[in-house]
Amino acid sequence: MKKLLIIINLLMCMTIFSEDISVKKALVKVYTSHQLFDYLSPWQYGQSANSTATGFIIDGERIITNAHAVLNSKFLQVRKEGDSKKYKAVVKFTSEEYDLALVEIEDKSFFKGTVPLKLGTLPEIQEKLTVYGYPLGGDKLSTTQGIVSRMEHNTYTLTNRKFLIGQTDAAINSGNSGGPVVSKGKVVGVAFAGLNSADNIGYFIPVNILNNFLEDIKDGKYDGSPLLGLEWLELESPSHRRMLGIEDKTGGILIKKVFKNSPFEGVLQKNDVLMKLDNYPVEYDGTIEFRKNEKTDFSYVNQQKKYGDNLSYEIIRDKKTKTGQVKLEKKDIKYTVVTEVTIETPPSYMVYGGLLFEPLTSNYMAGVIEKLGSVYDREELYKDYKELVVLVRVLPFDVNLGYTDAVNQIIVKVNGEKYKDFKDFAQKVKNVKSGFIIFENDNGDEIVLDVKEVEEQKEALMQNYNISSDMSDDIK
């Protein structure tokens, strides 16, 4: 018996050793020089920084890493395991929502001696896995082992969207980002985050998300994960369920709102009870059983699809069951008055009389210290606007005396007129015919500038603040 245990342990060690050798032939270290945007001075770039991360080679001489490892990159290099030479690389595709990026290298000699990793399947709970990477504090490859402890929906690194996430007790530290999480010799996930406040808790992007990303970019562009555009409430209350006529049924969530451009626009109504999506019963708390005895958010269903696919549903309306299907089309679903843009989107801006204007975007909201949280509570006030404009700050100059303390204000009118979006706002400012221009904010306060003085002092103001252009290229 003792000899048998020794033989089994030796076989296990040989398997791990063999796996290590094959994985090492696919590992790369990623070196990135980032340049961030400056929303207080959008005509120039802001702070620069360098970072390192991990990546791995898959079929087609492509490299996978995290999006946050290469975002806003000005210079990108990779080095394969066991080599000292760094090769110049380019980012071909990024998904901020998945926190994944695909990197390519022109010099194909880089791939000599490498072996691409194969993709596996979604790992089971308690399945053993190994995380490979280059954590900070050293230049050598690090491997950590652990098990899959949990699978559930949670918020990813770069956006507020939630996707299926894997949790492991294998250590994942800074620099491990983008490294392969391997089980049985195949990739089952991509490392991307650890909890600073907890020991031995790391997270990885499951392989099904990576497969979705690779499938998405096959046509040469990235579309993203289909959205449902629904706001809903849990239905745990027995009395509420009796009122809706579903006391004898299990599950179901209450539809509170269908957003504009949702695939369910004109299909679902307020107070409908969503019972099923693609034959997955939806529990009263908004979860579905995605694997036997494992539950996660019902958005798992639409997140396994791509734009153009159909999605079936079952609802109860007025105590009657209705079924049907919708097509998941790529449309801009407007959830809030804040315009969603990618992190790599350069800021749009306009400087007029020393007043710096920008559109109210997710990037702006993330970048300002004094948050404009109140805009979410005033949706009705902004219903006529496709995009809102913010007076970011005032660059003090003779032309704008008396207004230099104005900062972070929502502008709603130009000379008494509303605008549609930032381009329309800029057009109204540029085409002003009167002697004075009036900017009105959402509290009814006004800023009045002399149009002639604005023109006369424009060149001096721009020189004084080293402004290369009074507006971004997208609105010229």
Side-chain angles (χ1 to χ4, degrees):
M1 184 67 180
K2 189 175 180 180
K3 285 185 178 180
L4 181 61
L5 286 173
I6 291 171
I7 292 171
I8 290 172
N9 285 332
L10 283 171
L11 288 172
M12 288 178 66
C13 289
M14 288 173 65
T15 301
I16 293 170
F17 181 69
S18 174
E19 180 183 277
D20 278 349
I21 292 175
S22 62
V23 173
K24 284 179 180 179
K25 290 183 178 181
L27 284 178
V28 302
K29 188 170 184 177
V30 180
Y31 301 82
T32 310
S33 294
H34 309 265
Q35 186 91 53
L36 306 178
F37 296 117
D38 184 352
Y39 284 84
L40 293 178
S41 302
W43 52 88
Q44 62 188 21
Y45 276 102
Q47 190 176 5
S48 60
N50 297 326
S51 71
T52 61
T54 307
F56 58 95
I57 300 167
I58 60 171
D59 65 293
E61 298 184 334
R62 300 175 296 174
I63 294 171
I64 294 295
T65 189
N66 282 148
H68 75 255
V70 296
L71 280 178
N72 297 109
S73 60
K74 287 298 180 181
F75 192 66
L76 183 64
Q77 292 177 299
V78 297
R79 174 177 65 79
K80 58 187 175 183
E81 170 61 16
D83 196 357
S84 58
K85 183 179 177 181
K86 296 176 184 176
Y87 291 74
K88 190 175 180 181
V90 293
V91 180
K92 292 293 289 184
F93 297 98
T94 58
S95 167
E96 292 179 12
E97 57 185 354
Y98 293 151
D99 197 7
L100 290 171
L102 188 141
V103 173
E104 291 187 351
I105 299 172
E106 278 189 26
D107 187 349
K108 299 305 179 184
S109 66
F110 170 85
F111 295 98
K112 186 177 180 181
T114 64
V115 178
L117 286 177
K118 301 295 183 184
L119 304 187
T121 56
L122 196 65
E124 300 288 339
I125 302 299
Q126 297 294 311
E127 186 171 324
K128 292 181 180 179
L129 46 78
T130 305
V131 179
Y132 295 83
Y134 300 94
L136 296 181
D139 197 44
K140 298 296 183 182
L141 175 66
S142 167
T143 61
T144 56
Q145 294 179 339
I147 60 167
V148 180
S149 50
R150 183 160 34 183
M151 280 282 182
E152 65 177 356
H153 266 62
N154 213 328
T155 306
Y156 273 35
T157 310
L158 297 173
T159 70
N160 290 322
R161 289 195 63 189
K162 291 184 177 182
F163 293 94
L164 195 65
I165 240 177
Q167 182 180 309
T168 177
D169 58 356
I172 296 177
N173 300 302
S174 295
N176 271 118
S177 294
V181 178
V182 177
S183 177
K184 301 169 187 173
K186 292 185 177 181
V187 176
V188 296
V190 182
F192 81 129
L195 282 182
N196 293 328
S197 58
D199 294 329
N200 297 325
I201 295 180
Y203 296 101
F204 62 90
I205 301 161
V207 69
N208 63 307
I209 301 291
L210 175 56
N211 277 322
N212 291 348
F213 173 62
L214 294 172
E215 182 67 28
D216 190 324
I217 62 177
K218 276 185 177 179
D219 61 358
K221 66 181 189 299
Y222 175 72
D223 294 312
S225 173
L227 295 163
L228 296 185
L230 299 175
E231 187 176 338
W232 56 276
L233 292 173
E234 292 187 7
L235 270 178
E236 183 179 11
S237 165
S239 56
H240 201 164
R241 297 180 72 84
R242 279 195 299 274
M243 185 188 77
L244 294 166
I246 59 170
E247 68 271 21
D248 60 338
K249 300 181 184 296
T250 60
I253 56 174
L254 187 68
I255 300 302
K256 184 180 177 183
K257 183 177 181 180
V258 180
F259 289 92
K260 184 173 177 56
N261 290 332
S262 161
F264 287 103
E265 186 179 18
V267 177
L268 297 189
Q269 300 174 8
K270 184 178 180 180
N271 293 328
D272 284 346
V273 180
L274 180 62
M275 302 298 295
K276 287 183 181 179
L277 276 181
D278 267 8
N279 295 318
Y280 285 90
V282 180
E283 301 293 334
Y284 75 83
D285 61 353
T287 62
I288 54 103
E289 187 177 58
F290 76 104
R291 288 195 303 202
K292 188 170 178 60
N293 298 323
E294 287 187 72
K295 292 184 178 180
T296 195
D297 193 272
F298 76 92
S299 60
Y300 172 86
V301 181
N302 53 285
Q303 288 171 359
Q304 297 310 300
K305 293 179 174 286
K306 58 182 183 293
Y307 286 110
D309 288 347
N310 290 322
L311 179 69
S312 64
Y313 65 88
E314 179 183 307
I315 63 168
I316 292 177
R317 179 185 297 166
D318 299 327
K319 302 181 182 181
K320 295 178 182 177
T321 299
K322 292 180 177 288
T323 61
Q325 67 176 22
V326 295
K327 189 174 184 179
L328 298 172
E329 296 181 291
K330 187 171 175 59
K331 291 183 177 180
D332 180 23
I333 299 175
K334 190 72 171 176
Y335 286 99
T336 73
V337 295
V338 179
T339 302
E340 286 289 329
V341 295
T342 64
I343 294 172
E344 291 193 305
T345 303
S348 297
Y349 73 92
M350 180 180 199
V351 178
Y352 185 85
L355 277 60
L356 171 60
F357 298 103
E358 295 179 29
L360 182 63
T361 64
S362 52
N363 283 350
Y364 179 81
M365 289 290 279
V368 295
I369 297 173
E370 185 183 343
K371 302 300 180 186
L372 273 165
S374 61
V375 297
Y376 297 111
D377 302 322
R378 308 175 78 177
E379 298 272 348
E380 190 63 26
L381 179 64
Y382 310 124
K383 64 181 180 180
D384 297 331
Y385 300 84
K386 186 178 179 182
E387 189 173 49
L388 288 174
V389 173
V390 182
L391 170 58
V392 178
R393 65 180 178 126
V394 177
L395 307 173
F397 215 66
D398 290 342
V399 69
N400 55 50
L401 288 178
Y403 302 114
T404 54
D405 291 335
V407 61
N408 212 25
Q409 296 183 8
I410 301 294
I411 301 299
V412 293
K413 291 179 182 177
V414 179
N415 278 6
E417 283 188 67
K418 292 181 179 180
Y419 54 85
K420 294 178 183 177
D421 51 26
F422 190 56
K423 283 186 178 180
D424 187 39
F425 169 84
Q427 211 53 45
K428 282 179 164 50
V429 173
K430 285 188 285 186
N431 294 339
V432 65
K433 303 297 182 185
S434 58
F436 297 91
I437 187 166
I438 305 169
F439 299 101
E440 183 180 331
N441 69 19
D442 55 358
N443 290 322
D445 302 324
E446 296 180 341
I447 293 177
V448 181
L449 298 182
D450 186 308
V451 174
K452 185 178 179 181
E453 285 184 358
V454 170
E455 287 302 314
E456 290 174 346
Q457 296 181 33
K458 177 180 176 180
E459 187 175 341
L461 186 147
M462 290 179 63
Q463 287 180 355
N464 188 62
Y465 286 97
N466 293 316
I467 301 174
S468 54
S469 175
D470 65 337
M471 66 186 73
S472 52
D473 291 341
D474 60 313
I475 60 166
K476 282 185 178 178

